[in-house]
Amino acid sequence: MNKLMDDILNKRPVFFCNEKCVENPEAYLKTLDIGIENINDAERRMLRFAPLIAKLFPKTDDGVIESPFKQISGMKKLLFPNMKGSLYMKMDSHLEVAGSIKARGGIYEVMKVTEDLLIKNDMLSKDEDYTKISESKIKDFLAGYTMSVASTGNLGLSIGIMSAALGYKARVHMSRDAKQWKKDRLAENGVAVIEHAGDFTYAAMMARQEAEKEDAIHFVDDERSINLFVGYSVAAMRIKNDLTANNITPTKSKPLHLYLPCGVGGAPGGITFGFKHVFGSSVKCYFAEPVTSPSMLLSVMTEKYGDLNVNDYGLDNITDLDGLAVASPSDFVSPMMKYLCDGFYTVRDDDMFRLLYILKETENIKIEPSAAAGISGLEITENTDSDGYHIVWTTGGLFVPDTIYDKMHARGKTLYENSRN
Ligand SMILES: *Cc1c(COP(=O)(O)O)cnc(C)c1O
């Protein structure tokens, strides 16, 4: 057995540099059924919904849900004092409404389904003011439909909160690893929470089967949804403002390096798809997964894609990085990542708690442990010697209750102090 496989099976953090990834993605992207026009279409749809979002969720200001982009010099000084490029953070951990990266894809899918449904029923046209969707006539109409989803936590929050705000009946099938506070938050928002003893793949199967038996239901399929994927990809358009504000012009020799936490693959895959369209060979993308569930890594390495399950490799998919506890990757996203993702790496839970603590101490930024998976990428990919703009994508945290955050912070502090003795 080669060393890489041996390390994976023994749950040691690894980096798999993907040699199949194409250097100039244009030709490959042209072979796909979805392209730049889908990204543009999604961006326009989000803008049509912006007045409605602003009305339903005043914290979003103008109704465009977007996250801060920040240079993180304090953490850089402590962790990577000699790194060559510059270090930034794209803080999807702080996206309003959903409190995680799922605000991009999840909320977009609810928008798309709602727009299609209302147009089909002659209740809306694309040039109207979309705030009318919150009026009782339409709200009552949407109450006749159910939005259903399976989730390890954050996708459920995103779909549940958005659907309930529009008037839908919302139903979330939670896998065993979903945190209690996420279930409580959904229940408080009037969302039906169904708890499963199995993992995400199992919860998704149960939810899909249930949806097939009902009418007037839409199942948001995290493993196959093109809407989710396209919603995430819009991040590549939105980042242009951040880059301009920071005087960043990526080139092939000084590219963007993105470090993206990966679960089923929709979020990092959609973002990678968008960035490769917009920035071509001037962007490199790396996915982070827990050592106990490197499903995307193994699926690309073995070319088994959606048929791969980490349990077959003796890995248990048990991790505190709940958004990332996915044993079997999206069969729609994984084959694409063979050509678009530059590399995959794995992380240990303890290291994520340590980084959660360090990020709070150095930058005063609060994230959940799965969201820290991006940070260790710089080290494990040995990219500290690579020139360019390194962007750690933090993916969740805004809504973590203080009492729970304090416990995670304390765990991280102990680990940090022990690591220095
Ligand atoms: C869902 C999630 C991810 C990964 O997204 P996938 O589409 O499942 O790959 C990363 N981080 C957090 C916090 C998440 O909730």
Side-chain angles (χ1 to χ4, degrees):
M1 197 190 322
N2 67 31
K3 175 161 180 343
L4 177 63
M5 197 51 150
D6 187 55
D7 284 342
I8 293 170
L9 299 185
N10 286 292
K11 298 185 230 170
R12 287 189 284 267
V14 297
F15 172 53
F16 167 53
C17 177
N18 181 17
E19 315 237 295
K20 300 258 167 69
C21 179
V22 289
E23 198 169 314
N24 294 303
E26 291 78 9
Y28 171 70
L29 288 169
K30 281 205 186 93
T31 68
L32 300 174
D33 293 337
I34 46 174
I36 191 82
E37 61 286 357
N38 301 80
I39 306 176
N40 288 326
D41 177 55
E43 195 183 17
R44 285 193 296 268
R45 184 165 292 102
M46 288 177 186
L47 290 178
R48 288 198 289 279
F49 273 86
L52 175 69
I53 299 292
K55 190 175 167 198
L56 296 175
F57 303 100
K59 281 193 177 159
T60 60
D61 296 328
D62 57 359
V64 175
I65 307 171
E66 199 36 76
S67 67
F69 181 85
K70 191 174 177 283
Q71 189 154 18
I72 41 169
S73 33
M75 200 178 73
K76 177 180 167 177
K77 218 162 109 192
L78 182 70
L79 291 180
F80 316 112
N82 301 317
M83 70 177 272
K84 195 160 174 198
S86 37
L87 186 60
Y88 302 85
M89 193 165 266
K90 183 60 178 164
M91 294 168 58
D92 278 7
S93 46
H94 290 65
L95 283 172
E96 281 298 338
V97 187
S100 78
I101 196 166
K102 305 296 191 305
R104 297 187 183 278
I107 288 173
Y108 175 71
E109 175 142 349
V110 179
M111 289 176 184
K112 172 82 168 73
V113 170
T114 304
E115 188 185 66
D116 288 351
L117 188 63
L118 295 177
I119 289 175
K120 197 174 116 201
N121 286 277
D122 294 323
M123 299 176 89
L124 182 74
S125 66
K126 285 187 186 171
D127 49 19
E128 275 185 289
D129 174 359
Y130 276 30
T131 54
K132 84 180 261 197
I133 295 173
S134 63
E135 290 166 10
S136 56
K137 182 174 167 240
I138 291 186
K139 214 172 165 185
D140 293 348
F141 171 78
L142 296 178
Y145 289 83
T146 301
M147 281 284 174
S148 167
V149 69
S151 174
T152 59
N154 286 337
L155 187 63
L157 277 182
S158 157
I159 302 288
I161 291 170
M162 181 65 186
S163 305
L166 292 180
Y168 287 104
K169 288 197 275 290
R171 196 185 295 156
V172 176
H173 292 259
M174 287 289 202
S175 63
R176 63 177 180 218
D177 22 48
K179 299 283 179 283
Q180 188 60 42
W181 71 265
K182 294 182 182 174
K183 299 177 199 167
D184 294 344
R185 192 175 172 98
L186 283 173
E188 282 157 22
N189 279 276
V191 175
V193 177
I194 296 145
E195 299 183 58
H196 293 281
D199 70 359
F200 170 75
T201 307
Y202 175 80
M205 183 186 74
M206 298 305 280
R208 190 181 297 116
Q209 282 175 4
E210 180 194 73
E212 278 161 9
K213 287 187 221 132
E214 287 178 44
D215 300 323
I217 187 167
H218 177 79
F219 171 57
V220 178
D221 193 336
D222 202 9
E223 294 173 322
R224 291 169 198 168
S225 168
I226 291 175
N227 289 332
L228 280 175
F229 187 79
V230 169
Y232 289 123
S233 75
V234 172
M237 299 293 184
R238 299 273 183 80
I239 201 105
K240 288 181 194 166
N241 289 335
D242 297 327
L243 300 185
T244 307
N246 286 273
N247 290 318
I248 297 173
T249 311
T251 60
K252 204 167 170 169
S253 54
K254 280 186 85 166
L256 305 173
H257 301 268
L258 308 187
Y259 304 93
L260 301 157
C262 175
V264 74
I271 287 173
T272 296
F273 170 83
F275 271 79
K276 295 269 166 160
H277 264 291
V278 176
F279 299 98
S281 55
S282 301
V283 61
K284 302 210 171 294
C285 302
Y286 304 95
F287 289 9
E289 295 179 291
V291 289
T292 50
S293 51
S295 56
M296 188 59 85
L297 186 167
L298 279 171
S299 84
V300 171
M301 206 170 115
T302 60
E303 305 190 2
K304 289 188 182 166
Y305 308 119
D307 292 334
L308 183 122
N309 190 305
V310 299
N311 294 304
D312 299 339
Y313 292 79
L315 297 168
D316 58 17
N317 187 32
I318 290 182
T319 168
D320 277 319
L321 315 183
D322 53 332
L324 313 185
V326 177
S328 194
S330 161
D331 55 7
F332 150 64
V333 177
S334 48
M336 258 187 243
M337 292 309 120
K338 173 178 170 187
Y339 299 109
L340 294 179
C341 181
D342 294 85
F344 304 83
Y345 62 94
T346 56
V347 301
R348 284 191 178 119
D349 282 17
D350 276 356
D351 291 329
M352 297 308 102
F353 282 92
R354 200 167 43 81
L355 290 169
L356 172 151
Y357 168 74
I358 292 174
L359 190 60
K360 183 76 173 71
E361 298 310 300
T362 55
E363 305 285 343
N364 197 24
I365 295 173
K366 186 179 139 186
I367 55 170
E368 57 186 301
S370 41
I375 303 170
S376 60
L378 206 69
E379 219 165 8
I380 193 152
T381 57
E382 295 185 4
N383 268 351
T384 43
D385 291 334
S386 303
D387 208 354
Y389 310 94
H390 300 268
I391 303 174
V392 167
W393 213 287
T394 54
T395 47
L398 183 62
F399 297 152
V400 179
D402 286 341
T403 48
I404 290 168
Y405 182 78
D406 291 346
K407 278 191 200 136
M408 301 195 294
H409 183 267
R411 177 171 165 190
K413 182 170 193 246
T414 307
L415 288 161
Y416 176 70
E417 283 164 358
N418 290 345
S419 74
R420 290 167 59 86
N421 291 335

